[in-house]
Amino acid sequence: MPISLPQSNSSQQELTLKHKELEVLSYETEIDGPNGIIIFRGGVKATFDRSTLTANELIIRRGVTTDPAVDVISGSKTIKLRPKEAYANGKVAVVDPDGHLDASNLWFTWDPDRAKEVTGIGETVEINIGNSHVKADKMSRSGQGYDLTNVSFWTGNWRTPLFMFNAESVFFVPAKQGIAKHMRISVFGVQLPDIPRYVFSLDPRASGLSLPSVGFRQGAGIGASWTSSFPVNDSATISTSITAFPNVQPTYAISYSKSYVKEEDLGVNQYYISDQFGERSQFSFFGNIYMDSLSSAFDRMKTQKNLFSVNSTFNYETLDRVTDRTTNYSQPIELGYERGGPLGKFAYLYQLKASRIIESGDRSATRLGIYGSTFLPLTHHGRLTAGTRIDGAARIDASSSGYIGGETGFNYDLTGGLSVSTGAYGYKNFGNPLFLGDNFRSNQGYVMRGDWLGKSSSISMMFRYDPTQGWFDREYRLTQVVGPIEPVIVYRQSPRQYVIGIRFRTNDIANTLRQRKLRREESDANGIKK
C-alpha cells in the first residue's frame, strides 16, 4: 500500500550520498523516518558534486540495501523505491559543465553495488550540449552505456535544421562506440535513405563519426568528401575515406589500424598514419596553415603512438610536391608501423612502411620507407615561444633516396588571440628519387605568418620565401561560425589549393561523448569511499 507521509516544513536538508554531500533546497518537506523517505516539493534545487537538479518534486530514499522496496505516490503515479534511490518529477532539469538535460521525470540510484545495472532512467528527455541538441522518448544509463529510444539529433537553433538525424534507438558507450538502428539523415532539408544499422566510433584515437563536407576546389569544381571510422574492438578500427569532385578522379581509401597504446594514454587521432606523398611533416607550424601554434604542433607530436596499419589508397594527389595537380598515386597495399610520443622533454615520431606504389596508373614499384621526426623542447620567454623540429627519411626501392633537415622559429602572442611568427627551414636531399612526387616544392627558405584566433572566427595568413624561387607561397585560412555551420575558406598557393567548405558544428557533443567515462569508485555498504 502506498505510503502517506505527514507534512513538515523545512527550507534545507543535507544528505550524504556515496562520499559527497547532496544539498537540497525546497519549500515543503515530508519525512517518513522508518522507511528512510524524504519528499521535497516546491522549487526543489538539489546540488551534488558538479551537477544541479531542479524539479517540482524530488523523492529520496535512504536506508540499507537489503530493505524491501516500498510504494510512494508521486502526482498521479505510484513508484517503487528501493534504498539509495531517488525520483524527480515535474519540469526536471539537470545542469552540469557538460551540458543541460530536461525531462518529464528522472529516476536514479547511487548504490555502488548496482553499478552494472541500470542506474538512471529519464522520460521525454531533451539534451543540449553546446550547439548540439538531442531528444528522446526515453533514456537509460547503466554500467554498460547509454540507451535512447525514438531519438532526434540536430545542430543549431534554426527553425529548419540544416543537419538532422532520427533513429529508432541509439546505444553508445562513451569513449568507445555507438550503434544507431534505423537511422534517417537529413542534410539541408533533403532526406537520405534509411540506414538499418550504423556503428560509429567515439574512440578519441579515431576520426569517429563525421559528417560529409561540401567544398569548392579550384580546377576541380564543387564536390564532397567524407571520412569515418568503424570500431572493430577496443583497440582496432576500420577507416574509410571518399572524395568526389567533377573535374578530377575520385579518391578512395580504406585502412585497418590497431593501436597498442594503453588506455590511460589515449589521445586524439592515434589511429591515423600520415601519407608518404603528403606534406613533409604533419607537425609543421611553418609549413601548414591549419596548425595554429608551435605549442599545438609540439603537443600533437607528444601524443602517444604505437600503431600498426594496413592501407589501400587510390588516385591520391600529392601535397606540397612538384607534382601537385598533375600526378596522382595509388597504393593497393601499404603496411605501416608508427611509434611516437614524449621522450623526456622531447617529442618524437618514427614510421616504417612497406608499400606497392603506382604512379598515375602506369609506373609502379615496391618500396620500404623509414621516416622520423624529433621536436626539441619548446622554450618560453613571457609571450614568446620558440621551437625546433628535425626530420629525416630514407626510401629503399629501385633507386634509393631520402632527406634530412628541419625547421625552427618563434611564435609571439600579442593580445586578444593575435600572434605573429617567423621561422626558417632547410633540408638536404640524397640519392635519386624514383618517383617525381618524391620531390618537395621547396627545400630551404623563410616563413612569416600571423594568426588571430577568436571565439567564433579565426584568420591565419602565411608567406614563404625560397632563395631559389622568391616569394613562392602565400596561404590564407578564414573560418566564421554562423549558427549551426562553420564556413571555411582556405587558399594555399603552394600546394595549390583553393577550398570553400561548410562544416556542421558537432564538436561540442562529440568531444563530450569521447571523454566521458562510466566508472564508479568502490564504496563500502554505507556508501563511503574506500
Side-chain angles (χ1 to χ4, degrees):
M1 185 172 184
I3 295 175
S4 178
L5 303 179
Q7 179 174 314
S8 64
N9 293 320
S10 176
S11 60
Q12 178 173 313
Q13 289 280 334
E14 290 192 2
L15 307 175
T16 299
L17 300 186
K18 206 174 175 183
H19 58 280
K20 298 184 177 70
E21 292 297 317
L22 171 71
E23 181 183 30
V24 183
L25 304 176
S26 69
Y27 292 106
E28 181 181 314
T29 306
E30 297 182 24
I31 300 175
D32 175 17
N35 287 293
I37 293 175
I38 303 177
I39 299 180
F40 302 94
R41 293 193 181 96
V44 179
K45 180 180 179 180
T47 304
F48 178 69
D49 194 14
R50 302 185 307 160
S51 300
T52 299
L53 179 148
T54 59
N56 291 340
E57 180 181 66
L58 174 65
I59 306 173
I60 293 176
R61 186 179 183 202
R62 297 180 293 176
V64 181
T65 54
T66 55
D67 291 345
V70 297
D71 291 334
V72 182
I73 296 176
S74 175
S76 60
K77 297 179 64 175
T78 299
I79 60 171
K80 286 185 177 292
L81 281 184
R82 294 163 60 184
K84 298 182 181 179
E85 290 184 356
Y87 180 80
N89 185 38
K91 297 182 180 180
V92 180
V94 179
V95 179
D96 71 14
D98 289 320
H100 186 107
L101 179 147
D102 293 300
S104 60
N105 58 74
L106 180 68
W107 169 92
F108 60 93
T109 177
W110 63 94
D111 188 345
D113 297 328
R114 296 161 60 185
K116 293 184 179 180
E117 303 175 14
V118 175
T119 57
I121 298 175
E123 295 182 334
T124 317
V125 174
E126 181 171 347
I127 303 170
N128 300 291
I129 300 177
N131 191 62
S132 301
H133 312 280
V134 179
K135 278 187 177 181
D137 288 351
K138 184 177 180 180
M139 175 179 176
S140 63
R141 181 187 69 181
S142 69
Q144 285 69 48
Y146 290 77
D147 201 351
L148 295 83
T149 57
N150 294 328
V151 186
S152 296
F153 167 82
W154 69 97
T155 58
N157 298 307
W158 294 3
R159 179 174 299 180
T160 301
L162 298 184
F163 172 80
M164 184 175 187
F165 85 71
N166 299 282
E168 287 187 3
S169 66
V170 174
F171 175 80
F172 66 89
V173 181
K176 293 187 181 296
Q177 69 174 24
I179 300 173
K181 293 183 178 179
H182 294 288
M183 185 172 73
R184 300 169 301 282
I185 296 177
S186 172
V187 180
F188 295 109
V190 178
Q191 187 77 41
L192 303 181
D194 180 277
I195 302 174
R197 187 176 187 270
Y198 185 73
V199 179
F200 55 93
S201 176
L202 295 172
D203 194 321
R205 296 170 292 184
S207 60
L209 174 62
S210 62
L211 306 179
S213 61
V214 179
F216 169 79
R217 290 185 181 178
Q218 188 176 22
I222 297 175
S225 60
W226 176 74
T227 301
S228 197
S229 299
F230 309 90
V232 177
N233 52 45
D234 286 346
S235 62
T237 187
I238 293 175
S239 300
T240 59
S241 177
I242 301 173
T243 302
F245 286 80
N247 299 328
V248 295
Q249 289 183 308
T251 61
Y252 310 94
I254 185 169
S255 66
Y256 168 84
S257 303
K258 182 172 179 61
S259 176
Y260 297 92
V261 173
K262 296 179 181 179
E263 186 173 353
E264 58 266 25
D265 294 322
L266 297 187
V268 176
N269 283 340
Q270 286 175 317
Y271 285 131
Y272 172 77
I273 190 165
S274 59
D275 178 16
Q276 61 180 302
F277 287 104
E279 295 182 89
R280 198 187 303 261
S281 173
Q282 57 179 302
F283 308 104
S284 175
F285 173 63
F286 294 106
N288 189 338
I289 197 68
Y290 292 96
M291 189 68 67
D292 58 19
S293 70
L294 269 173
S295 297
S296 295
F298 182 77
D299 291 341
R300 188 172 297 183
M301 188 181 283
K302 282 183 66 178
T303 301
Q304 289 278 8
K305 298 291 286 287
N306 188 358
L307 177 69
F308 168 77
S309 69
V310 181
N311 308 306
S312 289
T313 59
F314 297 91
N315 302 327
Y316 264 69
E317 294 183 345
T318 60
L319 201 60
D320 206 19
R321 312 290 177 108
V322 298
T323 52
D324 290 357
R325 305 289 297 278
T326 63
T327 308
N328 61 50
Y329 291 86
S330 297
Q331 297 179 87
I333 183 69
E334 179 189 77
L335 303 179
Y337 177 75
E338 186 172 82
R339 186 70 181 264
L343 185 63
K345 295 183 179 180
F346 294 74
Y348 79 99
L349 182 83
Y350 71 83
Q351 298 175 345
L352 302 175
K353 292 185 176 183
S355 56
R356 182 68 178 175
I357 302 171
I358 303 173
E359 184 179 59
S360 292
D362 185 17
R363 191 179 185 186
S364 63
T366 299
R367 167 178 289 174
L368 175 65
I370 304 172
Y371 309 85
S373 294
T374 300
F375 226 128
L376 277 61
L378 297 181
T379 56
H380 303 277
H381 302 282
R383 296 181 178 182
L384 183 72
T385 300
T388 299
R389 193 192 70 253
I390 300 171
D391 308 311
R395 315 179 190 97
I396 303 171
D397 47 37
S399 179
S400 298
S401 62
Y403 61 83
I404 188 168
E407 68 177 33
T408 186
F410 68 84
N411 173 223
Y412 186 81
D413 292 325
L414 295 172
T415 182
L418 180 64
S419 66
V420 294
S421 310
T422 186
Y425 62 94
Y427 292 88
K428 176 66 175 178
N429 297 307
F430 58 86
N432 298 306
L434 180 62
F435 296 107
L436 190 60
D438 292 328
N439 297 287
F440 291 91
R441 187 170 293 276
S442 175
N443 292 304
Q444 66 282 311
Y446 307 95
V447 183
M448 295 188 302
R449 69 176 289 171
D451 300 89
W452 177 66
L453 307 176
K455 292 183 178 180
S456 59
S457 58
S458 66
I459 301 174
S460 296
M461 57 183 66
M462 179 167 65
F463 304 92
R464 294 198 291 170
Y465 177 85
D466 186 317
T468 65
Q469 304 177 55
W471 293 99
F472 75 100
D473 180 32
R474 61 183 186 275
E475 305 187 10
Y476 308 96
R477 181 171 183 258
L478 170 66
T479 67
Q480 176 64 57
V481 173
V482 183
I485 61 175
E486 184 178 17
V488 180
I489 300 175
V490 178
Y491 172 79
R492 307 181 73 186
Q493 183 180 359
S494 177
R496 287 189 289 174
Q497 287 185 331
Y498 179 45
V499 179
I500 300 176
I502 295 175
R503 296 187 303 203
F504 294 101
R505 298 175 59 221
T506 59
N507 288 344
D508 295 318
I509 192 168
N511 291 338
T512 298
L513 298 184
R514 286 182 172 190
Q515 296 174 7
R516 174 69 59 97
K517 297 287 187 178
L518 294 181
R519 292 182 177 175
R520 288 173 172 260
E521 301 176 64
E522 294 183 7
S523 304
D524 60 20
N526 296 315
I528 305 300
K529 178 183 171 184
K530 293 181 181 179

